[in-house]
Each structure stands twice: as C-alpha cells, then as structure tokens.
Amino acid sequence: MQSVLRYLMLLQHIPREPQKVDVQSLRKRLSEHGVDVSVRTIQRNLNELSEVFPLIADDRSKPFGWSLSKTAPHLPFPDLPDNTTHGSLARIKLKCSNGMLNLVTNNPLHPEQHIERNGLSFYLTFVQPVTKDLVAWILSCGEHIEVVEPLSLRSEIEAHVSRMHARYNGKG
C-alpha cells in the first residue's frame, strides 16, 4: 500500500509541462509528507510511472526535470497530506467482518496485532501511530471494518465517509 500512496504523491507533485521538477525536489516533498525514500527509488518509480502515465523526462541538462504532458487528461488526486495524522502512539481497535480474517491473518497490519473472535465479526487490536496509510486502508475496506478506538480515528473516518456520501448525493 505504501508504494501505491508514494506513486500517487509523486504524480500529485509533478507539474504539467512546460514546468518541471527534479528528483531531489520530489524527494523533499515526499519527506515533508512523512515518506522517506532514496533518490534512486524515486527515479525507479518515475520510470515505472512513465510506462503508464504521460510523464516526460527532460534529460537535456542535469538534474533531469519531470513533467506531465500538456495533453494529458486531468488526474483527480485525493488529498494526501502528512503520513502521520495524530502523531503519538494510539491503541487501535477495529471491528471487522469475518470475511476479513484471512486478509489480516496472512497480511498483518502490525506485528503485534491481537485478534479476538466475536461471532460474525472479530476485533483487531494493535498499537501504532494513526497514519494516512492506515486511514486509506480502513477506507478501502468499506463496510467490512468499523473503527472502535480511538475516537479521534473514528471521527476522521466518519468525516471521510460523510464527504463521500455528500458527493454521491450531489452535495459535494
């Protein structure tokens, strides 16, 4: 998931031509959002993204500049602010439908997560900072996950869902 979010962040920070941005500037912008990766990783990511998106590498001078083609369609980007939203460690408790059990067992969210079965659902508990990656993962699970704790994370998810609901009902 982190790679996908990093790709989205990269695309979000690449200007439309004739403006351009170099890899060091992209690295700095990612770092400001809590994503710390090497220049080489960003270079590889840009090359991979250019296979799918109309990215242009200006290699006439160093450092190379990257831009999105003038003729590229407008790309809708979600708001991807800082990776850590609440800063300190939090006890996360999620109520999950049983259909999620294999996913979180085979792909743990946290190395010290605890699963407590409860009939048609189970509780998943772990301690970590609340991050944008975690918020995105919870939202991607839709109706299959409910945030029980902390209340600040529950409120954040509720706000996202309310905005989505408004958009789907022509109010957003």
Side-chain angles (χ1 to χ4, degrees):
M1 166 101 77
Q2 290 180 358
S3 296
V4 172
L5 290 174
R6 184 175 64 247
Y7 283 12
L8 287 172
M9 285 181 177
L10 281 170
L11 287 170
Q12 191 174 34
H13 291 292
I14 297 172
R16 201 169 281 278
E17 65 178 336
Q19 288 89 17
K20 57 187 177 180
V21 65
D22 64 89
V23 174
Q24 283 290 353
S25 297
L26 287 170
R27 184 173 188 262
K28 182 178 180 216
R29 290 181 186 159
L30 290 178
S31 180
E32 290 167 357
H33 291 289
V35 178
D36 190 27
V37 292
S38 70
V39 167
R40 184 65 192 125
T41 296
I42 293 172
Q43 290 168 336
R44 277 194 299 269
N45 292 166
L46 289 168
N47 286 325
E48 291 165 356
L49 285 168
S50 68
E51 294 174 9
V52 179
F53 294 95
L55 296 182
I56 299 166
D58 182 356
D59 57 3
R60 293 176 291 184
S61 63
K62 290 191 176 183
F64 293 175
W66 288 85
S67 59
L68 189 62
S69 169
K70 283 187 242 190
T71 59
H74 177 71
L75 302 173
F77 291 110
D79 183 21
L80 298 170
D82 295 342
N83 193 36
T84 302
T85 61
H86 298 251
S88 59
L89 291 175
R91 180 176 181 265
I92 314 291
K93 185 173 184 179
L94 307 173
K95 183 178 180 182
C96 309
S97 63
N98 279 338
M100 299 289 296
L101 189 57
N102 283 340
L103 176 68
V104 299
T105 302
N106 295 328
N107 303 292
L109 282 177
H110 192 275
E112 296 180 24
Q113 69 185 24
H114 176 73
I115 296 173
E116 177 188 338
R117 294 181 186 229
N118 182 31
L120 297 175
S121 62
F122 65 95
Y123 290 101
L124 179 64
T125 309
F126 51 95
V127 176
Q128 76 168 45
V130 175
T131 64
K132 288 296 177 188
D133 289 349
L134 177 63
V135 170
W137 185 83
I138 291 169
L139 290 169
S140 75
C141 294
E143 65 192 43
H144 302 288
I145 288 195
E146 175 188 356
V147 175
V148 179
E149 295 174 4
L151 292 179
S152 59
L153 176 57
R154 183 179 177 92
S155 296
E156 184 173 349
I157 297 296
E158 285 176 347
H160 281 286
V161 171
S162 292
R163 288 191 300 272
M164 289 169 61
H165 183 265
R167 181 168 303 259
Y168 278 89
N169 286 293
K171 300 173 188 166

